[in-house]
Amino acid sequence: MLLISAAPKLGLPLDAVLRSAGLPPEALCRRGVPIPLSAARHVWTSAERVSSDLGLRVAEALDVGALDILDYLSRSSASFGAALARFIRFAPLLADSGVLSLHADGGHAHFRHVSPNGVPAVSELLVGMTVLRARTFSGEYVRPLAVRFRHHRKCTAGAYERIFDAPVEFGAPYDELVFRREHLEVPFGSADPRLCEILEDSAYLRLQQPSRVAAPPPAAPSGFVDEVRHVLRECIAAGNPNVDQVAERMGVSPRTLQRQLREQGTSHRALLAETRVALMDRYLASANPSRHVLAAELGYVSARSASRALRRR
């Protein structure tokens, strides 16, 4: 949860907020731990009582990387419009917070967030973060023509002026940023097409992970699968995680390895994809990615082969 990342900078009494939502602090500090939407809504609603301009303050406090792969995908995109399109596509990796859309109408571009049961602080975080990230990644002062929120005013006009420098309306049918259409073409100085390709394919792979997590548990013990995961990490580090190499390290034939994995309800291919996602998560959490280093971390000989292989999955 993004509130966790920003809390130290903002001096928020996070422990008290989490306790009021019935969640232990350690439950939200581990990557990949799913948080029920109802609990997340309660946390944000409780935190709003502490700070009326919470969403905008969190938007300002979040460092690049706090959005995990979404930040790196956006930063490596060619333009503001391309970054928005990818953010919309992969937003479910961050949170289930409504429906996002982007469309052009004449000389205007509209970035919308529709969430009938949304929390005002989350809406303000999303809209504020979009503007601030656009300025950070482009190096230009991207200024919206209009800002609209579904909720009523939550803080002083100065807080909105500080970020948006644009007219702000309340009680609208949805949350919305309106830009000049030409702003969608504003280039990002950090654009890296090859890295963006790798990250995009990896993001598609991550979108598939919840279905595997939610699948029924295997009937047989998981010790063998854990051992295969361990060997896969070693083989990736050595640069050759194919099934023959994994089987050799485990002292079995490739056919036996595949059969035993099928009995566990999985496969070498599925575990390799899962392991690469885990390695990518760890790498993105600790460094700014280079396409060549990231490809090597995932066990590929080049950035091009990494993207090609991930797309096939």
Side-chain angles (χ1 to χ4, degrees):
M1 185 181 290
L2 299 179
L3 187 60
I4 302 292
S5 300
K9 285 187 176 182
L10 301 180
L12 291 175
L14 195 57
D15 287 357
V17 170
L18 294 178
R19 279 196 301 271
S20 72
L23 292 170
E26 60 271 15
L28 300 183
C29 295
R30 298 193 302 271
R31 291 167 59 88
V33 176
I35 304 301
L37 185 59
S38 59
R41 183 179 291 113
H42 190 103
V43 169
W44 278 99
T45 301
S46 299
E48 277 187 312
R49 301 189 190 107
V50 178
S51 173
S52 61
D53 59 348
L54 177 67
L56 299 181
R57 293 179 64 208
V58 172
E60 291 178 302
L62 288 175
D63 295 325
V64 173
L67 304 189
D68 197 60
I69 194 172
L70 289 180
D71 258 341
Y72 298 113
L73 258 177
S74 297
R75 189 176 64 178
S76 61
S77 295
S79 66
F80 179 39
L84 280 178
R86 291 190 173 95
F87 185 86
I88 291 169
R89 189 180 311 147
F90 297 112
L93 292 175
L94 182 65
D96 178 14
S97 60
V99 177
L100 299 173
S101 65
L102 175 67
H103 75 275
D105 177 15
H108 296 164
H110 302 258
F111 175 62
R112 289 178 182 171
H113 171 235
V114 180
S115 181
N117 299 314
V119 178
V122 174
S123 297
E124 295 188 355
L125 164 63
L126 172 65
V127 173
M129 190 171 55
T130 300
V131 173
L132 294 175
R133 286 295 196 265
R135 293 170 183 166
T136 298
F137 297 152
S138 70
E140 297 188 21
Y141 189 74
V142 177
R143 179 179 179 273
L145 296 174
V147 182
R148 300 186 178 104
F149 289 110
R150 185 174 183 274
H151 58 267
H152 295 289
R153 184 189 296 273
K154 301 296 293 185
C155 51
T156 63
Y160 298 104
E161 174 68 21
R162 185 176 71 244
I163 290 182
F164 301 117
D165 189 21
V168 181
E169 304 170 24
F170 299 90
Y174 34 69
D175 307 316
E176 182 178 49
L177 281 170
V178 183
F179 296 96
R180 290 188 177 87
R181 188 170 185 170
E182 63 200 48
H183 279 157
L184 296 179
E185 305 303 321
V186 170
F188 281 4
S190 51
D192 188 330
R194 193 66 67 193
L195 174 60
C196 193
E197 190 178 6
I198 295 175
L199 292 174
E200 189 166 44
D201 290 336
S202 298
Y204 276 120
L205 197 61
R206 285 180 59 177
L207 279 177
Q208 300 169 9
Q209 293 302 299
S211 61
R212 286 201 289 269
V213 172
S222 61
F224 178 73
V225 174
D226 289 338
E227 184 180 356
V228 174
R229 289 190 181 102
H230 176 73
V231 173
L232 273 170
R233 287 192 291 270
E234 292 180 344
C235 290
I236 287 174
N240 183 10
N242 67 31
V243 66
D244 293 336
Q245 184 65 27
V246 173
E248 180 180 338
R249 289 198 179 214
M250 296 190 69
V252 299
S253 70
R255 178 173 294 183
T256 298
L257 174 63
Q258 294 284 42
R259 175 178 55 78
Q260 291 182 323
L261 288 175
R262 281 197 301 272
E263 292 172 357
Q264 298 279 344
T266 187
S267 67
H268 167 268
R269 182 176 182 177
L271 290 177
L272 178 57
E274 173 190 304
T275 303
R276 280 176 165 148
V277 167
L279 289 172
M280 185 191 68
D281 285 348
R282 186 178 67 184
Y283 181 69
L284 292 180
S286 62
N288 292 335
S290 151
R291 62 182 183 274
H292 299 295
V293 175
L294 182 55
E297 284 282 331
L298 299 180
Y300 295 109
V301 296
S302 69
R304 184 181 296 273
S305 61
S307 181
R308 187 166 55 243
L310 287 170
R311 193 181 296 113
R312 288 198 300 266
R313 297 185 183 281

